[in-house]
Amino acid sequence: MKAVQVSQTGGPEVLEYRDVDDPIVGPGQAIVDLAASGVNYMDVYLRSGANQPALPVIPGGEGAGVVSEVGEGVTEVEVGDVVTYTGAGSSYAERVAVPSWRLVKMPEGLDAEAGAAVMLQGMTAHYLCHSTYPLKPGDVCLVHSAAGGVGLLLTQMSKALGATVIATVSTEEKAELARGAGADHVINYAEQDFAAEVERITDGAGVQVAYDAVGLSTYEGSLACLAPRGMLALYGQASGPVPPIATAILGRKSLFLTRPSLGTYTATREELLQRAGDVLGWMKSGTLDVRIHDRFPLSDASEAHRQLEGRLTTGKLLLIP
């Protein structure tokens, strides 16, 4: 089959489109013929070597398609089911072997591309505002990269929970998208000091939670934005990893700091189905708008990475085998 493989870590140019062996189904697994694969920042971390992968490796942790084969003991899906998943690797390919308990059947009325577009980013937004810091009416939250894939979904979910959303973006085009998703206040951090603007907007009270996937360039400002007993949820590091933080900094306002990841919030099939069911259900009903920024042939994975790293995207990027 065709796949994208990394034999040495580096920039987008190390993504090689080539022939590789077909996956072999094992016990508790299913083969999925992929219709679409999601592109995410974790793929960039793998490609660049930040996650120290064993090489060679096929990137990708999210996709959707049709089950073509099931292994021994599989009860969750059958051949012919249209399924989606995240939390299993090697999705930059035409076919992939996935633990069957990670597979979620697509609801009637949604296609495989919809599943590949929403699973990782949608469930990330879900756990952030429903579990990591469960928002309630009256809360004020700060959402960085609000025009990105997670940011647009997190803004919509936060508004549905009754929170006031302060969004940060880098361009006026992205500001309009954030407002369209429901953001109450939008800060262009390329032109304004976002921490000073948050202080102004909240009359010095600060926010209950800052959802930050940017990392190195924003974490200090995010901490400064927090109200007493506020939480900084660092769920990514697009600008680089955050250095060690002295606990004394948190003690000034009794702050909370967490570094959550999707795997621990979908560690059981019950929790996976609950989060995926909410996200896919909202997508089907139209209450959650999922923006697909662009689709690339699988062979153009390097260009997809260039656009993602260059912050040229608003919404989701997909690879189509």
Side-chain angles (χ1 to χ4, degrees), residues 207-224:
V207 300
Q208 279 65 55
V209 60
Y211 298 117
D212 190 337
V214 181
L216 180 62
S217 65
T218 54
Y219 81 96
E220 290 182 318
S222 294
L223 284 169

Side-chain angles (χ1 to χ4, degrees), residues 4-319:
V4 172
Q5 192 174 70
V6 174
S7 299
Q8 60 178 358
T9 57
E13 69 279 357
V14 305
L15 295 170
E16 302 174 304
Y17 183 65
R18 54 177 300 181
D19 292 311
V20 301
D21 292 337
D22 285 322
I24 298 173
V25 70
Q29 292 184 326
I31 301 296
V32 179
D33 292 349
L34 290 164
S37 301
V39 179
N40 299 287
Y41 245 96
M42 69 175 191
D43 309 334
V44 173
Y45 303 151
L46 181 148
R47 186 213 73 219
S48 65
N51 294 342
Q52 298 182 328
L55 301 176
V57 63
I58 298 172
E62 173 186 43
V66 178
V67 175
S68 60
E69 188 177 356
V70 296
E72 181 183 351
V74 170
T75 59
E76 297 88 353
V77 296
E78 298 177 346
V79 172
D81 286 342
V82 180
V83 297
T84 184
Y85 72 91
T86 188
S90 303
S91 66
Y92 284 21
E94 292 179 327
R95 288 177 289 281
V96 64
V98 182
S100 58
W101 76 270
R102 298 294 309 179
L103 295 172
V104 177
K105 295 180 185 180
M106 288 297 296
E108 289 289 333
L110 292 180
D111 61 15
E113 281 196 11
V118 80
M119 281 293 280
L120 189 146
Q121 293 177 339
M123 290 197 296
T124 296
H126 189 286
Y127 82 68
L128 285 170
C129 63
H130 285 83
S131 300
T132 302
Y133 183 92
L135 290 169
K136 59 186 182 300
D139 283 339
V140 183
C141 66
L142 176 64
V143 177
H144 284 298
S145 301
V150 174
L152 288 170
L153 301 175
L154 181 55
T155 297
Q156 294 175 68
M157 292 183 197
S158 299
K159 289 304 300 177
L161 290 168
T164 296
V165 176
I166 303 175
T168 72
V169 297
S170 59
T171 68
E172 183 52 37
E173 176 195 5
K174 292 181 178 181
E176 287 302 310
L177 289 171
R179 293 186 188 101
D184 299 279
H185 307 275
V186 181
I187 302 167
N188 184 336
Y189 65 79
E191 300 175 353
Q192 300 169 293
D193 180 330
F194 76 82
E197 283 298 296
V198 168
E199 182 176 18
R200 180 188 64 80
I201 291 167
T202 63
D203 293 326
V207 300
Q208 279 65 55
V209 60
Y211 298 117
D212 190 337
V214 181
L216 180 62
S217 65
T218 54
Y219 81 96
E220 290 182 318
S222 294
L223 284 169
C225 291
L226 296 178
R229 296 193 289 180
M231 175 181 286
L232 172 54
L234 281 166
Y235 68 99
Q237 53 184 44
S239 67
V242 173
I245 296 173
T247 55
I249 294 174
L250 305 179
R252 296 169 190 167
K253 292 192 288 186
S254 297
L255 301 178
F256 295 87
L257 171 65
T258 184
R259 179 59 172 89
S261 62
L262 180 58
T264 55
Y265 284 90
T266 56
T268 66
R269 182 155 179 84
E270 179 183 17
E271 191 170 19
L272 168 66
L273 292 178
Q274 182 257 319
R275 293 196 194 283
D278 282 351
V279 171
L280 293 171
W282 295 333
M283 192 179 184
K284 181 178 179 179
S285 69
T287 58
L288 185 67
D289 180 33
V290 179
R291 177 182 173 85
I292 297 177
H293 178 85
D294 209 348
R295 300 164 178 82
F296 294 88
L298 182 61
S299 57
D300 286 348
S302 58
E303 180 58 27
H305 276 225
R306 290 187 188 97
Q307 293 203 16
L308 183 64
E309 288 183 277
R311 300 189 181 185
L312 303 176
T313 63
T314 53
K316 188 70 177 184
L317 294 179
L318 294 179
L319 298 178

